[in-house]
Amino acid sequence: MVNGIIGKKVGMTQVFGADGVVAPVTVLKAGPCVIAQVKTAGTDGYESVQLGLVEAKPKKENKPSQGHFKKAGVPATRVRREVTLKAGGDAVKAGDQVNASIFAEGERVDVIGTSRGKGFQGVVKRHHFAGGRMSHGSMFHRAPGSIGASSYPSRVVKGMRMGGHMGNKQITVRNLKIVRIDLENNLVLIEGSVPGGPNAVVVIRKAIAAKPIRIAQVEPVKKKGKK
Amino acid sequence: MTAIEELVEKSQLTTKPDMKSGDTVRVHVKVREGDKERIQIFEGIVIGMHRGGIRASFTVRKVSFGQGVERIFPLHSPTIAKVDIVRSAQVRRAKLYFLRNLKGKAARMKETKRTTT
């Protein structure tokens, strides 16, 4: 059994629990995926599986990647990601189908995706610098301040936080809870937000350090007559 | 966004009476106490309806012991058992926030006969 699946972000909404508690959820279209290649310790040095996301309208693939999928005996897919295998699980082979049924409702998952690109940003937005005040004669607004004193160290130390390109990089959000799984439509509802905008490709994998799921404490019944 | 609306939100939408701003309503709220469940009624004037599919809500205002109380209910929440419309008033705007500054006689409104459909 594989430990993850490729999904596409559909958007966000909210769902009501049975007790009326609202959960903010991200709707992900997870799979269906095919196994394009099984990597083994013998041939590749490690064990994993290459998944391909099957799309409704397949894009044209070039000859080399078509050949790669021909080996697995499945139609070529554009989006491919590697996921690990569950140790001691059932053996998988190239060409197998994978869908959201590998997860269960209430399970913890990690979501890996590419965050939204923010362009060139200053230190206040990029590194949460406090900045200065905007008015009352302040002449220091959103600048980074001193980045290296003149006599010592007389240079800018490496790794100094400065303005620069922000976003558009791989982000992993860990320990998100699966609220609901709709196998018919390949939808997975995950509590909270995941990186990227609509149609962003994400990998949903079983949480590598799963937090225990808290069960809501039932309120003790108040005794009547006492105040 | 259609996938969300069709597949996720649609099944959660509940049918509530066709209330609007100016209606006096009795909202029956399910309250859980320990393992017992009972119905609590909140009666007041609807001072605003807020759209947004499953996120839709409405605000009910009442004056309790001289103190104005407003409660915002999610329209499609499963904790709302039912909503009764007690009476309707003639209002000329959708959001009746001006009622917050009025009290007593000034906060009265002209009643209208609703044509029930």
Side-chain angles (χ1 to χ4, degrees):
Chain A
M1 211 167 81
V2 294
N3 270 340
I5 193 169
I6 311 171
K8 270 193 172 183
K9 189 165 162 180
V10 181
M12 287 193 76
T13 181
Q14 64 181 35
V15 291
F16 288 102
D19 48 355
V21 175
V22 168
V25 294
T26 307
V27 182
L28 296 171
K29 193 162 176 62
C33 292
V34 288
I35 294 175
Q37 187 189 356
V38 179
K39 297 193 172 182
T40 56
T43 52
D44 306 276
Y46 64 103
E47 291 203 345
S48 80
V49 152
Q50 189 189 55
L51 292 178
L53 179 65
V54 179
E55 298 190 66
K57 277 185 197 166
K59 294 223 169 69
K60 246 187 175 175
E61 286 300 308
N62 57 18
K63 279 268 175 71
S65 78
Q66 272 182 8
H68 176 65
F69 280 90
K70 211 173 177 181
K71 235 189 260 174
V74 287
T77 54
R78 173 68 56 95
V79 179
R80 299 184 282 268
R81 294 286 187 278
E82 228 176 86
V83 294
T84 54
L85 274 167
K86 192 180 175 183
D90 309 341
V92 290
K93 59 179 195 300
D96 281 0
Q97 288 265 346
V98 180
N99 63 5
S101 62
I102 60 168
F103 299 117
E105 284 181 13
E107 199 180 359
R108 295 277 183 183
V109 290
D110 300 338
V111 177
I112 306 157
T114 308
S115 61
R116 286 186 190 201
K118 311 261 185 220
F120 192 104
Q121 293 298 332
V123 287
V124 173
K125 192 184 180 92
R126 193 169 181 229
H127 298 297
H128 302 124
F129 281 23
R133 66 194 304 183
M134 289 294 124
S135 59
H136 288 270
S138 168
M139 290 164 76
F140 178 75
H141 303 308
R142 298 175 69 90
S146 168
I147 56 170
S150 71
S151 66
Y152 182 80
S154 193
R155 64 189 171 91
V156 178
V157 294
K158 277 190 177 174
M160 177 62 63
R161 293 171 298 166
M162 292 192 200
H165 190 270
M166 187 183 170
N168 197 19
K169 62 172 186 182
Q170 184 175 299
I171 300 281
T172 306
V173 186
R174 306 216 297 201
N175 276 316
L176 297 172
K177 199 172 90 182
I178 292 183
V179 176
R180 197 186 297 166
I181 293 172
D182 183 355
L183 279 180
E184 210 170 290
N185 302 303
N186 291 310
L187 294 182
V188 175
L189 272 62
I190 290 175
E191 190 167 348
S193 55
V194 305
N199 288 324
V201 175
V202 294
V203 172
I204 314 158
R205 69 154 186 233
K206 298 199 173 193
I208 53 167
K211 262 188 197 167
I213 290 159
R214 267 196 195 166
I215 297 155
Q217 295 270 315
V218 179
E219 271 181 60
V221 182
K222 278 180 194 164
K223 277 179 187 170
K224 278 180 185 173
K226 272 187 182 175
K227 277 195 178 173
Chain B
M1 296 298 263
T2 48
I4 291 181
E5 283 158 7
E6 284 288 315
L7 304 171
V8 182
E9 293 188 349
K10 214 173 183 179
S11 59
Q12 291 192 80
L13 297 179
T14 56
T15 47
K16 292 273 152 55
D18 184 22
M19 60 185 155
K20 58 185 176 64
S21 286
D23 290 356
T24 303
V25 292
R26 286 165 69 85
V27 186
H28 296 245
V29 191
K30 289 180 198 159
V31 181
R32 274 194 87 83
E33 281 171 347
D35 52 353
K36 270 187 274 183
E37 199 175 73
R38 65 181 179 88
I39 297 283
Q40 193 181 54
I41 293 169
F42 190 90
E43 183 171 353
I45 299 172
V46 178
I47 63 165
M49 304 281 297
H50 311 277
R51 300 193 296 173
I54 192 69
R55 300 186 313 282
S57 62
F58 61 102
T59 308
V60 181
R61 177 184 170 82
K62 72 171 176 183
V63 178
S64 171
F65 299 102
Q67 180 69 51
V69 178
E70 276 177 26
R71 200 163 160 187
I72 302 165
F73 295 100
L75 187 62
H76 300 289
S77 171
T79 55
I80 297 178
K82 65 170 177 174
V83 181
D84 291 337
I85 298 174
V86 181
R87 71 177 88 87
S88 305
Q90 185 190 334
V91 289
R92 300 177 71 160
R93 57 207 71 224
K95 303 283 188 281
L96 309 178
Y97 299 145
F98 64 89
L99 283 179
R100 290 168 179 167
N101 300 323
L102 304 177
K103 56 184 179 183
K105 277 188 179 179
R108 286 174 306 170
M109 284 184 294
K110 201 173 179 182
E111 196 173 331
T112 52
K113 285 280 183 293
R114 278 176 79 100
T115 48
T116 46
T117 47

